Amino acid sequence: MANDSEPFSEKLRVPEALTFDDVLLRPKESRMEPDEADTATRVSKGVELNVPVLTAAMDTVTESDMAIAMARQGGLGVLHRNMDADRMAAEIGRVKRYDELIIRNVVTAHPEQTVREVDSMMDHKGVSGAPVVDDETGEVLGIISGTDIRPYLEVGESDAVTEAMTDEVITASEDVTPREALELMYDHKIERVPIVDEANRLVGLITMRGVLKRREYDDAARDEDGHLRVGAAVGPFEVDRAEAADEAGADVLFIDCAHAHNANVIDSAREIKATVEADVVVGNIGTREAAEAVVDFADGVKVGIGPGSICTTRVVTGAGMPQITAVSQVADVASQHDVPVIADGGIRYSGDAIKAIAAGADAVMLGSYFAGTDEAPGRVIQMNGKKYKQYRGMGSVGAMSEGGGERYLKEDDEDDYVPEGVEAATPYKGSLASELHQLVGGMQSGMGYVGAETIPEFKQRAEFVRISAAGQQESHPHDVMITDEAPNYSPDS
Ligand code: XMP
């Protein structure tokens, strides 16, 4: 602070802060191919991912559809908090149950039902088989499938289902692995295995379709019980929501604040951390001192003060920190305490994402990059013959009027909002999987140029060069007219 001995003009001896377009990765000798680059990382102290990418906690980016798609691909979706705690718990539950190996809500048949009744019940519920369960004891008596019924082999439509069912049922216990379940199915030429307790009571069902579906997602982010992982945003003072999200099974809670280097926010974040089982990531921050204030309790820190595509924080408040410098300052401190760093906002290209990792981040969070995908909330809109989806800042008037204001530590009435974000449209992009493929593929290529096979090795080995405006211009396609759009480059990004 300026005082008598420190003239105000001293304030203009300012340090330089850099962002994505100011730097490039210096190419280095490489002994690997980009495809060999392993992108596994940690997003918080207790949560590892195979893909170092998170989707933003924004109401036009991440609800359960996005979180499911992200976790299946190996990343993490962070549910936004413009919904009440009950709905958030339901969304978390939906992600957790989605790729469940053991189906808990099993459609069952009862011994007194007729073949016709069971046939129409299975049709109605959209299943092709059902365990037959004793109503009183809950024991599995047999299993019935469409093939037992449809040809009405030796039974009539009005016979009891017990006449048609297979009564030598192959069952397994709850600790069966996907591989063991599949072996049982192949060995016995069956498509479903009821899961039973010690008293042969039905507790769940594993289907061949379910096991094979899971196999398509080898890199998926799963918890110890095999459920998809999911993150959830909680407001800086929302202890109740944090508890509800934790109870519903969220793996990581993200304290969702535009300026987390605030004593009240930090006190509340500490309280939340002491209350919940889930990991707690604190954000957003953008300086060394902010990192120092939270690394003693945070399981991760999130960096980004105003870099986002829909953010107006820097122009409205005059405050902010260019993202490459912000990430590197926070990472200096966080790495000393083994706390993972997430770079949040401002990433337009895969090259930006891998630069953020080179600057010290362990993972990146993106909003605009994914807002145009099928899995983001909202419908596709047509404008001038082109397809778009809505994308808006959580500090925009529209989002704040639906509950987002707390992120900006404001409780104004709608007429008094001082927004820090805009409402916009972003080009429609199709499936998340193909967008993520381009993003991660580009990041792997960046690792290849630096010759680093893993994220930790890359963070150590990567060096930056500073580029001029002319260098920046040279980096983009120039002196040509682009005739065919590339899947990973748009001059408007
Ligand atoms: P991108 O650039 O990926 O940024 O679209 C997404 C991140 O931007 C932050 N965010 C905001 N920042 N005003 C802001 O200053 C806003 O209205 C706003 N909404 C989101 C947030 O960190 C998000 O992950």
Side-chain angles (χ1 to χ4, degrees):
M1 224 205 333
N3 56 32
D4 289 347
S5 59
E6 202 179 348
F8 281 101
S9 57
E10 279 300 305
K11 288 188 191 196
L12 298 182
R13 292 186 190 280
V14 284
E16 189 172 50
L18 304 177
T19 193
F20 301 108
D21 281 351
D22 295 319
V23 292
L24 280 174
L25 296 170
R26 187 166 169 272
K28 289 190 156 183
E29 188 199 9
S30 182
R31 292 169 188 265
M32 40 111 31
E33 307 311 324
D35 284 350
E36 293 162 19
D38 176 357
T39 55
T41 194
R42 272 186 328 161
V43 71
S44 62
K45 282 188 178 168
V47 174
E48 291 177 7
L49 300 177
N50 285 318
V51 166
V53 180
L54 294 82
T55 54
M58 299 175 70
D59 61 4
T60 46
V61 181
T62 313
E63 293 187 347
S64 53
D65 280 352
M66 178 64 88
I68 289 163
M70 277 300 282
R72 279 179 156 182
Q73 301 294 330
L76 188 76
V78 182
L79 300 172
H80 70 84
R81 42 173 285 269
N82 261 13
M83 58 177 102
D84 64 29
D86 286 346
R87 183 173 157 217
M88 180 177 255
E91 291 273 288
I92 293 168
R94 180 164 180 254
V95 182
K96 285 285 162 193
R97 283 191 305 275
Y98 204 77
D99 263 350
E100 211 165 38
L101 178 65
I102 301 178
I103 301 163
R104 300 285 170 180
N105 212 352
V106 186
V107 174
T108 55
H110 305 283
E112 65 281 3
Q113 286 181 295
T114 64
V115 166
R116 184 189 300 121
E117 282 166 347
V118 172
D119 192 21
S120 95
M121 184 234 0
M122 293 200 303
D123 217 30
H124 182 64
K125 303 259 183 185
V127 297
S128 53
V132 182
V133 173
D134 185 301
D135 290 333
E136 274 172 25
T137 62
E139 260 183 84
V140 178
L141 305 172
I143 192 157
I144 183 93
S145 76
T147 45
D148 297 326
I149 295 176
R150 298 252 151 69
Y152 300 118
L153 293 169
E154 286 168 10
V155 291
E157 281 187 304
S158 44
D159 285 340
V161 69
T162 44
E163 300 287 315
M165 71 185 190
T166 306
D167 44 19
E168 282 176 24
V169 192
I170 306 299
T171 59
S173 59
E174 278 194 81
D175 53 9
V176 69
T177 64
R179 175 183 284 272
E180 288 165 351
L182 205 56
E183 273 169 13
L184 274 179
M185 293 189 220
Y186 283 141
D187 288 353
H188 297 276
K189 300 195 171 39
I190 51 177
E191 289 191 4
R192 45 189 80 72
V193 176
I195 304 298
V196 294
D197 65 10
E198 328 72 53
N200 197 36
R201 284 182 300 235
L202 185 76
V203 292
L205 184 77
I206 297 184
T207 66
M208 180 168 296
R209 220 171 116 231
V211 181
L212 295 180
K213 191 85 201 148
R214 276 167 66 103
R215 283 194 155 188
E216 285 174 32
Y217 302 105
D218 270 356
D219 282 340
R222 295 188 190 281
D223 62 22
E224 309 73 46
D225 298 325
H227 299 136
L228 294 176
R229 288 208 186 268
V230 59
V234 300
F237 308 111
E238 287 188 320
V239 182
D240 288 351
R241 179 192 293 275
E243 281 175 348
D246 186 45
E247 214 156 278
D251 297 278
V252 191
L253 301 184
F254 290 76
I255 307 296
D256 186 31
C257 182
H259 181 40
H261 194 189
N262 167 302
N264 296 330
V265 173
I266 293 174
D267 286 349
S268 169
R270 262 184 218 285
E271 186 187 342
I272 289 173
K273 168 67 190 163
T275 316
V276 299
E277 260 180 48
D279 275 7
V280 174
V281 170
V282 180
N284 278 9
I285 58 171
T287 62
R288 200 170 265 125
E289 307 87 79
E292 269 157 8
V294 299
V295 282
D296 66 305
F297 71 95
D299 296 308
V301 288
K302 190 150 70 68
V303 181
I305 309 287
S309 58
I310 34 50
C311 299
T312 53
T313 291
R314 293 181 187 171
V315 284
V316 169
T317 70
M321 187 61 128
Q323 187 69 337
I324 287 287
T325 294
V327 169
S328 68
Q329 284 206 1
V330 170
D332 276 352
V333 177
S335 60
Q336 298 296 314
H337 294 78
D338 196 32
V339 174
V341 175
I342 299 160
D344 173 16
I347 291 169
R348 305 148 301 168
Y349 301 108
S350 46
D352 294 342
I354 199 66
K355 285 178 195 175
I357 302 228
D362 296 276
V364 289
M365 175 178 267
L366 298 89
S368 74
Y369 195 93
F370 295 121
T373 61
D374 292 322
E375 290 79 355
R379 61 191 175 84
V380 177
I381 39 186
Q382 294 256 15
M383 286 192 294
N384 301 327
K386 281 190 141 190
K387 290 181 175 173
Y388 297 86
K389 287 190 86 165
Q390 190 199 15
Y391 180 49
R392 67 181 184 186
M394 294 305 281
S396 65
V397 171
M400 287 217 278
S401 64
E402 287 170 33
E406 207 177 338
R407 183 172 200 268
Y408 299 87
L409 306 173
K410 297 259 184 155
E411 286 171 14
D412 295 340
D413 290 335
E414 188 158 348
D415 292 341
D416 298 331
Y417 286 140
V418 181
E420 290 184 31
V422 295
E423 298 181 63
T426 185
Y428 169 68
K429 288 182 168 173
S431 81
L432 170 92
S434 63
E435 279 304 291
L436 192 62
H437 170 77
Q438 291 299 331
L439 181 72
V440 177
M443 293 173 78
Q444 285 180 302
S445 298
M447 293 169 75
Y449 277 100
V450 171
E453 280 182 42
T454 66
I455 296 275
E457 188 190 345
F458 176 76
K459 282 170 63 177
Q460 291 309 316
R461 205 171 143 78
E463 287 173 19
F464 287 117
V465 289
R466 175 80 201 272
I467 57 171
S468 62
Q472 164 65 9
Q473 206 179 354
E474 185 185 67
S475 298
H476 284 263
H478 51 85
D479 304 308
V480 294
M481 191 178 78
I482 297 177
T483 52
D484 293 282
E485 272 180 28
N488 56 358
Y489 180 79
S490 154
D492 312 323
S493 285

